[in-house]
Amino acid sequence: MHSAIEQARGVTDHPVLTHLARVGLIAYGAVHLLIAFLAARMALGLQGADADQTGALQTVGAGPGGRVLLWAIGLGLLCLGLWQAGEVLLWWRGLLHPAHRRRTALVCAKCLAKGGVYAFLGTTALLFALGLEYEADERLPALTDDALRIPGGTAAVCLVAAGVVAVGLYTLVRGFTGGFMRDVDLPAAPDRWEPVIEGIGRIGYVAKGIAFGLVGVLLWRAATSADVTDATGLDGALTAIARVHAGPWLLAGIALGFAAFGIYALARARYPDRDPSS
């Protein structure tokens, strides 16, 4: 078992996979920059693709060489997911020791969760490259409606909503505390750039935390009121923000935050570190 895991680590630690993961981080940053662009258009009252991940991928696909770019984004993000999840192979021994089991389990869960997010977005990009497009804000209400019709469906949707809110709060905490800097190889980054990366990252994480928290709140409302029109993704959450009195200004702030997160992801691609517990 130890030998097999060491061989697997050799694959996930290979320089080629690390470089491909950097491509994935660049793609991840570019997607967030596109979301920021679409949110800014929404703030200006302009029509366009949904201001979420699927809208960003549709925008890429509609551009010159869009199909090739979607393949590159998808494969890069899948490699990024494998690279991130591969960190579990470094920490798994802690599960064998009762004193370190709980902390190690949390670290491994974070590695796998982050790897899963990258892999999901990469798979979505590949589906778009194959022409199998969909809009998240159209599918989510239908999925929620189906879930509410089965026994225990309301509790299940509430549980998912609570999980989304928890992710939003976790993202906010990382933004306020600067915990995201653990994902940057600080020794490799020039000292003069560290405060810049941290400042941009804080803005990006706070904006994402607020947006995801609102998605969870709307999903909770859909479950408790049985009105699936409240079940919406990121674009629907931004649309809800746009309806309030100061909506355009709030949307502009969210767009700035997502742009900041995109720039942070590009900086992380230059100085990547996948260790969530360092």
Side-chain angles (χ1 to χ4, degrees):
M1 182 175 179
H2 283 273
S3 177
I5 290 177
E6 287 300 322
Q7 291 179 4
R9 278 191 60 192
V11 174
T12 58
D13 291 341
H14 198 281
V16 173
L17 183 59
T18 301
H19 289 308
L20 290 174
R22 283 179 166 174
V23 174
L25 282 168
I26 293 172
Y28 194 57
V31 167
H32 282 81
L33 290 173
L34 280 172
I35 293 174
F37 170 73
L38 296 172
R41 286 178 57 89
M42 185 183 294
L44 295 173
L46 301 176
Q47 298 295 322
D50 290 347
D52 56 14
Q53 290 87 346
T54 56
L57 293 175
Q58 286 175 337
T59 302
V60 171
R67 189 65 58 87
V68 175
L69 287 174
L70 285 174
W71 277 105
I73 290 173
L75 293 175
L77 285 168
L78 285 178
C79 290
L80 176 59
L82 177 61
W83 179 76
Q84 179 66 64
E87 191 69 358
V88 171
L89 300 175
L90 177 64
W91 294 97
W92 74 275
R93 290 184 181 86
L95 297 174
L96 304 178
H97 303 283
H100 304 122
R101 188 167 296 160
R102 181 176 298 178
R103 178 173 179 270
T104 303
L106 289 174
V107 169
C108 291
K110 286 163 61 176
C111 290
L112 292 175
K114 291 171 70 173
V117 169
Y118 299 141
F120 176 79
L121 185 55
T123 302
T124 302
L126 293 180
L127 291 175
F128 276 48
L130 293 171
L132 304 175
E133 296 188 6
Y134 68 91
E135 294 187 9
D137 274 17
E138 292 181 358
R139 292 193 63 182
L140 188 57
L143 290 174
T144 304
D145 185 50
D146 292 340
L148 292 176
R149 293 175 184 274
I150 63 176
T154 300
V157 174
C158 285
L159 185 61
V160 172
V164 175
V165 171
V167 170
L169 291 175
Y170 173 73
T171 306
L172 269 176
V173 170
R174 293 201 87 194
F176 285 127
T177 63
F180 57 87
M181 292 298 286
R182 297 172 183 169
D183 295 331
V184 179
D185 187 1
L186 294 178
D191 292 340
R192 66 180 182 276
W193 286 112
E194 287 184 24
V196 177
I197 295 173
E198 183 174 357
I200 292 173
R202 285 182 185 274
I203 296 172
Y205 268 87
V206 169
K208 281 195 67 174
I210 293 173
F212 283 126
L214 182 57
V215 171
V217 170
L218 292 174
L219 188 57
W220 182 278
R221 284 182 54 184
T224 55
S225 66
D227 183 2
V228 295
T229 59
D230 283 332
T232 183
L234 179 59
D235 180 74
L238 297 184
T239 301
I241 292 176
R243 295 194 186 108
V244 303
H245 179 68
W249 293 102
L250 294 174
L251 276 179
I254 294 292
L256 179 63
F258 272 83
F261 188 92
I263 295 172
Y264 161 77
L266 296 179
R268 188 187 167 205
R270 179 64 179 85
Y271 309 106
D273 190 343
R274 61 184 176 181
D275 183 1
S277 63
S278 60

